[in-house]
Amino acid sequence: MKKTLMFLVVLTLILTGCGGNKYPEFLTEKSWEYDNKTCAESIRFGEDGEFIYSEACGSPVGNYDLYDEYKYNEKDQTITLIPCEGGFDKETIQVVEYSDSSLILKFQDGKVKEFRTDQDIPDVPEKYMDYIEGFTGYKSVYKLEDNKVYIGPSGFDGDVDGKDVFKPYELASDAKLHSLDVKTIIKGDAEKSTYNYEVLTKEEAFYNPDNSVRIGFVWLNENLEVEEILYFGELIIWE
């Protein structure tokens, strides 16, 4: 009986791994994409521990082709990437926040990106593409309270969603706040666009007398502080 029990324990360790590796459904059951408006990035965490991080253009992102396996630590919500071969160090990714459609990750180099299962990021005029380089995500901004910015999904619906979808992030002391509004008039085959760009003070950026939300691009720094917000508005008129 003891031998049988010992055999079952050993077999369990072999099948699950000595560390009891877990591959949670919130990571594995979806395809995640970061649309940077130039060449979208896809990241995949397989239910068997397989890891792939590549661009839609066909190239790997950075040196992530050197990693093909991952482990997840539920206690501290970190993902450890394991290199394909010896000679390379493991790399750690922090899971900052996740929901059914959003996965915010902080990479070892300090970059923070929001990967989504669906994309609703608007097209930004070519002349302003530099303004959104490296953004974390396209988000709704609700309020600033006790120097914390409450941000949530860009598709926030006040009639359906509660304000608890907004998560607080500290506002960096040197945060950059600005807005970009695009107005396009389409008449037949002719199209004309005008742009209004403004640098905002903290008071202007978070003035909210009607308890509404604003939508735009948000950057989080390596300390998970909001270091930049670019509110973005687009109006199209057909004549």
Side-chain angles (χ1 to χ4, degrees):
M1 181 66 181
K2 290 184 178 179
K3 289 184 178 180
T4 301
L5 181 60
M6 180 63 70
F7 173 76
L8 290 174
V9 170
V10 172
L11 180 61
T12 301
L13 288 174
I14 292 173
L15 293 176
T16 62
C18 295
N21 297 333
K22 295 181 180 179
Y23 305 109
E25 289 185 356
F26 81 86
L27 280 179
T28 63
E29 66 182 1
K30 300 178 179 71
S31 297
W32 300 102
E33 184 176 289
Y34 171 72
D35 185 2
N36 55 20
K37 306 312 296 181
T38 54
C39 186
E41 301 173 2
S42 296
I43 196 166
R44 179 179 182 274
F45 300 97
E47 60 184 8
D48 57 353
E50 181 186 31
F51 170 79
I52 302 174
Y53 186 16
S54 60
E55 296 180 335
C57 311
S59 302
V61 176
N63 292 323
Y64 285 102
D65 57 330
L66 301 176
Y67 302 87
D68 63 354
E69 185 183 348
Y70 77 98
K71 293 181 180 179
Y72 178 70
N73 186 315
E74 186 176 10
K75 184 178 180 180
D76 57 11
Q77 293 190 310
T78 57
I79 299 164
T80 300
L81 304 183
I82 301 170
C84 308
E85 55 187 63
F88 300 101
D89 294 330
K90 295 179 180 179
E91 183 162 331
T92 302
I93 301 174
Q94 178 184 350
V95 177
V96 177
E97 182 184 322
Y98 67 87
S99 67
D100 288 341
S101 59
S102 171
L103 177 65
I104 300 180
L105 301 176
K106 176 187 171 184
F107 292 84
Q108 193 161 289
D109 62 3
K111 292 181 181 178
V112 184
K113 298 178 181 179
E114 179 186 35
F115 294 81
R116 296 188 56 83
T117 58
D118 56 349
Q119 292 294 338
D120 57 357
I121 299 176
D123 292 326
V124 175
E126 184 67 29
K127 64 184 294 186
Y128 287 103
M129 282 297 293
D130 288 347
Y131 282 77
I132 67 167
E133 183 178 357
F135 69 90
T136 293
Y138 186 64
K139 312 290 288 182
S140 291
V141 179
Y142 174 37
K143 64 180 178 179
L144 176 69
E145 185 175 271
D146 296 329
N147 205 50
K148 291 182 172 59
V149 184
Y150 284 73
I151 60 177
S154 58
F156 173 76
D157 185 343
D159 295 328
V160 178
D161 303 315
K163 289 296 196 298
D164 57 342
V165 300
F166 290 90
K167 307 300 181 184
Y169 289 89
E170 197 78 20
L171 182 66
S173 59
D174 57 349
K176 183 178 180 180
L177 307 169
H178 45 164
S179 67
L180 174 64
D181 293 292
V182 181
K183 180 180 179 181
T184 302
I185 298 176
I186 302 175
K187 188 174 183 179
D189 295 331
E191 181 177 313
K192 182 179 180 181
S193 296
T194 56
Y195 313 102
N196 182 43
Y197 170 78
E198 291 184 62
V199 175
L200 305 175
T201 64
K202 185 188 295 187
E203 290 72 22
E204 292 170 333
F206 299 107
Y207 179 68
N208 190 10
D210 56 358
N211 205 36
S212 60
V213 302
R214 299 176 73 175
I215 301 176
F217 296 90
V218 174
W219 288 254
L220 297 177
N221 62 23
E222 62 182 343
N223 297 317
L224 300 181
E225 300 171 325
V226 176
E227 66 175 3
E228 184 174 355
I229 297 174
L230 174 67
Y231 293 120
F232 183 79
E234 186 177 31
L235 175 64
I236 301 176
I237 301 173
W238 283 268
E239 293 186 342

